[in-house]
Amino acid sequence: MIKFSAKKISRIKEWRVILYAKPGVGKTSAIKLLPGKTLVLDLDDSSGVLENEDNVTIYHFDNGTEDGRKFDRSHPYEDMNTILADKDVTNMAADGYQNLVIDNISSFEKDWFVERGRQSKNGISNEIQDYSAWTNYFSRIMTTLYMTQGVNILTTAWEEQKPFATESGQQFNRYQPEIRDSVRDGLLGLADVVGRMMVNAKTGNRGVILEGNDAIFAKNRLDDRTSAPIEEIFKFGGESDDKIN
């Protein structure tokens, strides 16, 4: 056994963050705030907002043309398998990348089930085995991507509200990432930070809730902040709250 001192551990090195919000709040735009060179897996064709960002590269597939092609949402299973097998992704730190962005998993989930429905007996509906297959497949995807060494990983998702009951029997509608329950808890458990993006209705400013309660799914184990303006979300190591105003 090699004894590795806990004094050498850094909480803010190679972090794993999940941001979720309603469509249009600015999840993809937040990628511009990442320090360093960034590779984006654009799973919902929203990378247009990153126009002219020098440090951002969008993953395209080799189809014999100079620019390649985008992620094919009608064949998400095949294209994701290509990404997972691509050594340029697993060894991206060697090419100078500091960040990997998976944008967004809610869209990917929906497209995956649509594709599986096309393969069903009636060509539309999902079959029972699709749901267990998704649980195993999604876990393999995220475990593989999260094992990428030497980079920070940002994952985005849409927001949904779902009924939630506490141990005392109280009922709430909880804000949470829009992903099936069978994979959600495992995914969020792997993340260092889960934040809900929102817009202040009075000022129009965007910020992120970093502390969860019965009504909001959120957590932050990288620093002491319970919220932050979007411009400072990736400045981990802070000890005081920057309220969303």
Side-chain angles (χ1 to χ4, degrees):
M1 178 182 72
I2 297 176
K3 297 179 180 179
F4 184 84
S5 174
K7 293 181 180 180
K8 298 180 180 180
I9 297 174
S10 173
R11 286 192 297 175
I12 60 175
K13 182 181 179 181
E14 297 178 21
W15 46 253
R16 307 291 181 258
V17 171
I18 297 173
L19 294 181
Y20 69 95
K22 296 184 294 184
V25 170
K27 299 182 299 298
T28 303
S29 295
I31 295 171
K32 301 176 185 178
L33 302 170
L34 287 167
K37 190 177 177 181
T38 300
L39 176 65
V40 179
L41 307 182
D42 179 11
L43 307 182
D44 67 348
D45 196 22
S46 62
S47 59
V49 299
L50 302 174
E51 181 181 13
N52 295 325
E53 289 296 315
D54 291 336
N55 285 336
V56 176
T57 300
I58 312 301
Y59 187 100
H60 274 202
F61 297 81
D62 187 357
N63 64 351
T65 65
E66 181 180 358
D67 294 331
R69 65 166 177 82
K70 299 178 180 180
F71 184 85
D72 186 351
R73 295 184 60 184
S74 63
H75 296 91
Y77 177 86
E78 294 85 345
D79 274 7
M80 180 58 74
N81 286 350
T82 297
I83 292 172
L84 296 179
D86 192 335
K87 292 183 179 180
D88 286 339
V89 175
T90 55
N91 296 321
M92 58 186 292
D95 290 329
Y97 286 95
Q98 286 87 49
N99 310 297
L100 172 64
V101 180
I102 308 164
D103 185 37
N104 84 55
I105 55 171
S106 303
S107 173
F108 177 73
E109 179 183 79
K110 292 181 183 297
D111 293 339
W112 188 90
F113 275 101
V114 169
E115 181 185 25
R116 292 290 290 228
R118 292 194 189 100
Q119 301 169 11
S120 66
K121 294 178 181 179
N122 64 11
I124 299 176
S125 304
N126 288 111
E127 299 177 353
I128 294 177
Q129 60 267 29
D130 292 343
Y131 299 96
S132 59
W134 168 249
T135 301
N136 295 330
Y137 178 63
F138 185 76
S139 297
R140 179 168 70 86
I141 288 172
M142 298 309 296
T143 298
T144 301
L145 291 174
Y146 270 30
M147 288 176 63
T148 304
Q149 298 295 309
V151 296
N152 305 309
I153 299 180
L154 169 64
T155 304
T156 70
W158 287 323
E159 173 186 290
E160 67 176 352
Q161 286 190 67
K162 272 196 170 182
F164 172 75
T166 66
E167 293 182 357
S168 63
Q170 290 181 293
Q171 298 285 334
F172 294 90
N173 280 330
R174 183 171 64 180
Y175 292 99
Q176 60 189 39
E178 186 177 347
I179 192 83
R180 291 189 64 81
D181 294 348
S182 61
V183 300
R184 186 192 63 239
D185 291 346
L187 172 65
L188 302 189
L190 292 173
D192 300 304
V193 171
V194 179
R196 180 195 175 212
M197 287 185 61
M198 56 185 298
V199 177
N200 186 310
K202 294 182 179 179
T203 65
N205 294 334
R206 294 181 300 152
V208 184
I209 302 298
L210 298 172
E211 183 177 54
N213 53 40
D214 288 335
I216 297 175
F217 208 122
K219 72 174 185 179
N220 177 14
R221 62 188 185 197
L222 294 183
D223 56 36
D224 296 329
R225 295 178 298 170
T226 59
S227 65
I230 191 61
E231 294 81 8
E232 300 181 14
I233 183 57
F234 300 119
K235 297 178 180 179
F236 296 113
E239 297 182 353
S240 61
D241 294 337
D242 292 309
K243 300 301 182 182
I244 302 170
N245 50 41

